[in-house]
Amino acid sequence: MIWMENVSKIYQQGKQEVDAVKDVNLHIRKGEIFGIIGYSGAGKSSLLRCINYLERPTSGHVRIQDTKLADLSENQLRMMRRKIGMIFQNFNLLMSSTVYQNIAAPLVLAGLAKQQIQARVSELLSLVGLEDKREAYPAQLSGGQKQRVAIARALANEPEILLCDEATSALDPQTTDSILDLLLDINRSYGITIVLITHEMYVVKKICDRVAVMEGGAIVEQGTVLELFTKPKTETTKKFIKSVFDADLPQELLQQAVDKAVPRKLLRISFIGETVSEPILADLTLRYQLRPSILYGNITKIKDSVFGFLIISLPGEPSVIQEGMAYMEQNGMQVEVLGHAG
Amino acid sequence: MLDSFINSFVDNYDLYLESLGETAAMVIYSLFFSTIIGLFLGVCLVVLRPGHIYENKVLYPILNAVINVLRSVPFIIILIAIIPITKWIVHTTIGVKGAIVPLVFYTAPYIARLIESALLEVNPGVVEAFQAMGASRRQIIWKVMLKEARPGIVLGLTIATIGLIGATAMAGVLGAGGLGDVAIRYGYQRWQPDVMYVCVIILILLVQLLQTAGNRISKKLRKH
Ligand SMILES: Nc1ncnc2c1ncn2[C@@H]1O[C@H](COP(=O)(O)OP(=O)(O)OP(=O)(O)O)[C@@H](O)[C@H]1O
Ligand SMILES: [Mg+2]
């Protein structure tokens, strides 16, 4: 759907050059929700704005389906943009226009007949649940409602792609959830490809299928959200994950556990999805007479899946422990040795 | 005191009415032309600047400087300095017609600045949102910038109109007539202060009326 090849963006600021985006390669697939996460100043907005050429890349190519954006004339680019919706952190609505007029704006620009516009806006208003706010002005709406208006406006021309620049960053957690649910709903019912940028791992975990981590203008890691959670490679990714999911046993607890005299191993077992319902620990006892004690654990929902881990202390003969570990791995768990004693 | 005002007003009723008419004519005509020119220049001052939709690194500084130069010349000097231009455009330098050209020279750059600052108040994010939805640059100027800036533009035009009324008094000296002219001629030259006071009171009422109306309209347009 969207291909970015060696995209770089350099801003000229007086005599200084700012490398906002560095040699980014991305392929975003049709119908997926793709997240780009990074700290402030990482270059997320710049990258997103290259997708609809609000910002022309200094070098590299952007392709949408079979169209190379660099080949388009100004008019062709405008036509292309009608098929790419965009929403923003600050909503960016016309303050002097009603909700109706705001949602109708792209349709008016496209030159649709009044009756068609009315019908389409009514549809959109009910999609975002704002039928009763049709004649209200943005100043009379809450942040969440404003973002709903912005979403309706972005969807007016039935786009195939929706770009979201920190769409929930100005909202409280509850409203964030409702907007994310709406985006997920739109993605599922219309198959719209969504690219969203955020600095909150929570957003990624809740609705994204795949994610790229951005740092200093470059993409340092990308993959499915589950891959990132289960096998984070960079420190940045680990920090982001930690913000929603603490996977580390406090150091002194770890030390205490290792200091015990009886021979034992300290293990982290991670599990995804189905395996959660299997009585794995009970099986360790029944089959291998191992008696694990649980030191720490956490579990989280990642979009439609579940990811969790336990840190257990497992006393016993090393060979038996080895068998137990193999058994757990056979059952789809990831087992990692954190330390041993005795 | 009050009696003498009322007497003066009744005695010279025709004089006041006529000069009010002249003031109104000068203000309306010059406001009309200044607004057209000022709106155009004001929009240019915004869209030509770096990073904006018609970014132009040559025209913008030139326009900016020209407007600053015009804005720094006192009206009384414009009045005299551009006499040849006035003659060339309206073939006279006296009367209401002769006053309009210098008034426009004086007011248009002022309105350009007022429009510029009203347009700069518009959230640039909205412009970006409309670019992202495929709006043309012309649509962005009309449907986003000018539309969103309406409350500020109305207030700016109100201020400009009031300034214009003040300037007409000076133009009056060149034989354009108007309330200011009457006030000076009768009050200063013939020493009839009551005529001057009546003129001033009419001017005060006029300004009050305009400012109140401007505020009301602006407030009605402002939805936030
Ligand atoms: N128009 C511009 N001119 C010059 N420098 C810019 C411009 N836009 C962004 N930058 C710089 O480029 C870098 C990346 O900015 P960008 O807005 O893309 O980051 P971001 O990841 O979206 O950050 P945030 O989370 O704060 O929005 C920053 O150093 C910023 O100062
Ligand atoms: Mg940003």
Side-chain angles (χ1 to χ4, degrees), chain B residues 17-52:
Chain B
L17 204 64
E18 193 189 332
S19 54
L20 181 63
E22 288 163 351
T23 298
M26 281 189 279
V27 169
I28 290 168
Y29 282 118
S30 22
L31 185 65
F32 176 76
F33 293 113
S34 315
T35 303
I36 293 175
I37 299 169
L39 260 176
F40 176 74
L41 294 178
V43 169
C44 288
L45 278 172
V46 174
V47 297
L48 293 177
R49 59 178 61 213
H52 220 290

Side-chain angles (χ1 to χ4, degrees), chain A residues 142-322:
Chain A
S142 70
Q145 290 170 331
K146 282 185 215 169
Q147 198 58 289
R148 283 169 185 273
V149 176
I151 290 173
R153 177 176 73 176
L155 296 180
N157 278 321
E158 303 182 330
E160 286 160 29
I161 298 170
L162 179 64
L163 307 177
C164 312
D165 190 341
E166 306 263 8
T168 57
S169 298
L171 306 174
D172 62 56
Q174 212 173 340
T175 317
T176 294
D177 266 343
S178 81
I179 293 294
L180 293 179
D181 285 335
L182 177 61
L183 291 176
L184 198 54
D185 184 36
I186 289 163
N187 167 256
R188 286 186 174 152
S189 3
Y190 304 99
I192 295 179
T193 309
I194 298 181
V195 185
L196 65 84
I197 62 179
T198 180
H199 58 261
E200 292 170 307
M201 199 61 187
Y202 175 75
V203 172
V204 170
K205 167 174 110 87
K206 187 165 159 100
I207 70 168
C208 290
D209 300 303
R210 291 196 304 138
V211 59
V213 181
M214 238 186 141
E215 196 178 9
I219 287 180
V220 293
E221 195 165 350
Q222 61 173 308
T224 66
V225 179
L226 269 175
E227 278 166 6
L228 242 69
F229 265 85
T230 47
K231 300 179 195 103
K233 294 189 194 82
T234 62
E235 273 314 301
T236 315
T237 310
K238 284 178 191 158
K239 262 192 242 166
F240 273 122
I241 291 170
K242 200 163 177 164
S243 68
V244 287
F245 184 73
D246 203 344
D248 287 324
L249 182 66
Q251 198 54 44
E252 61 270 23
L253 281 182
L254 193 73
Q255 206 51 50
Q256 275 174 24
V258 180
D259 287 346
K260 295 266 168 62
V262 190
R264 61 181 65 218
K265 266 193 166 56
L266 219 57
L267 303 177
R268 181 213 300 274
I269 48 183
S270 315
F271 42 90
I272 298 165
E274 255 64 292
T275 37
V276 176
S277 47
E278 308 272 331
I280 298 288
L281 290 185
D283 282 354
L284 281 186
T285 314
L286 289 175
R287 291 177 178 227
Y288 305 100
Q289 280 77 49
L290 287 167
R291 300 175 63 229
S293 55
I294 298 170
L295 301 178
Y296 192 65
N298 204 344
I299 188 160
T300 189
K301 210 172 160 238
I302 296 176
K303 200 164 182 180
D304 305 317
S305 191
V306 172
F307 169 63
F309 74 93
L310 283 175
I311 293 178
I312 57 173
S313 162
L314 204 54
E317 282 301 313
S319 61
V320 184
I321 294 179
Q322 214 60 47

Side-chain angles (χ1 to χ4, degrees), chain A residues 49 52 54 74 78 81-82 84 88 92-97 105-106 108-109 137 139 153, chain B residues 123 125-126 128-137 139 143-144 147-148 150 221 223-224:
Chain A
R49 292 155 55 85
N52 59 1
L54 275 182
E74 187 178 324
R78 290 206 292 115
R81 281 177 180 164
R82 286 192 188 158
I84 307 175
F88 306 83
N92 295 345
L93 301 173
L94 290 168
M95 296 304 280
S96 59
S97 298
V108 174
L109 295 182
Y137 286 92
R153 177 176 73 176
Chain B
N123 175 7
V126 187
E128 196 182 316
F130 274 74
Q131 282 178 305
M133 66 176 79
S136 67
R137 295 189 279 188
Q139 286 171 326
K143 304 210 168 194
V144 181
K147 183 162 190 288
E148 284 284 276
R150 280 180 314 182
L221 289 171
K223 309 292 185 185
H224 54 100

